[in-house]
Amino acid sequence: MTSKVKITTTHENGRTLASSGSPWEGKIGYSRAVRVRDQIHVTGTVGIEADGTYAPTLAGQTRRAFDIIVAALEALGGKPADVVRTRIYVTDVSKWQEVGEVHGELFGDIRPALTMVQVSALIDKEAVVEIEVEALVQDEARPA
C-alpha cells in the first residue's frame, strides 16, 4: 500500500522523525511519527484531507487518518503488518462499527491490540476521530 500522502523524514539524536507537514507539528513541537531502532510511534492522527477539509463521515475520516498513518510507517521503513497497538479516539462511540469496519479492512489479519474510547472533542471541531499506532518493525530474515 503506497499512499499519496507526502511524508518527509529527518534524523536527529538517534531518531528518525517523519513529518506530514501538518501546521500543528511545528506549533506544538511534535513529529507525525518517530522511529527509534525497531520501534515506530505514530502520533494521534486526524483524517484531514490535503486541502484542509474533512470527510463528512466517521468512516471517511478514519480511512484518511489511516492513509496518513500508513504513509508515515512506510516512510520510516515499516508497514501495517508491523503494527502492534492502535488507539482510537472518537467523539461518538455509538458509531464504533464505522471505525471498526475500516480498522478491520487494514488490520483484520494482523490483529494488533486496540483501544477505542469516546472523547468530548478533538483538536479541530470538524474532526470526529483521532488514531495513533505503535509498530515493531520485524527483521524479515529473523523469525518473530
Side-chain angles (χ1 to χ4, degrees), residues 80 83-86 103 106-115 134:
V83 172
V84 296
R85 169 170 279 295
T86 57
H103 187 274
L106 186 58
F107 296 112
D109 293 332
I110 300 164
R111 303 194 47 162
L114 164 67
T115 300
E134 297 172 11

Side-chain angles (χ1 to χ4, degrees), residues 1 57-67 70 80-81 86 88 96-112 114 116 131:
M1 174 179 194
T57 66
L58 178 55
Q61 288 190 30
T62 302
R63 276 192 184 84
R64 175 63 179 170
F66 277 128
D67 285 347
V70 169
T86 57
I88 303 175
W96 67 269
Q97 288 177 307
E98 284 185 59
V99 176
E101 183 176 306
V102 177
H103 187 274
E105 290 169 5
L106 186 58
F107 296 112
D109 293 332
I110 300 164
R111 303 194 47 162
L114 164 67
M116 186 185 311
I131 304 166

Side-chain angles (χ1 to χ4, degrees), residues 45-49 53-55 60-62 64-65 68 127 129-130:
T45 303
V46 297
I48 193 166
E49 298 292 337
T53 64
Y54 288 87
Q61 288 190 30
T62 302
R64 175 63 179 170
I68 297 166
V129 63
E130 183 168 326

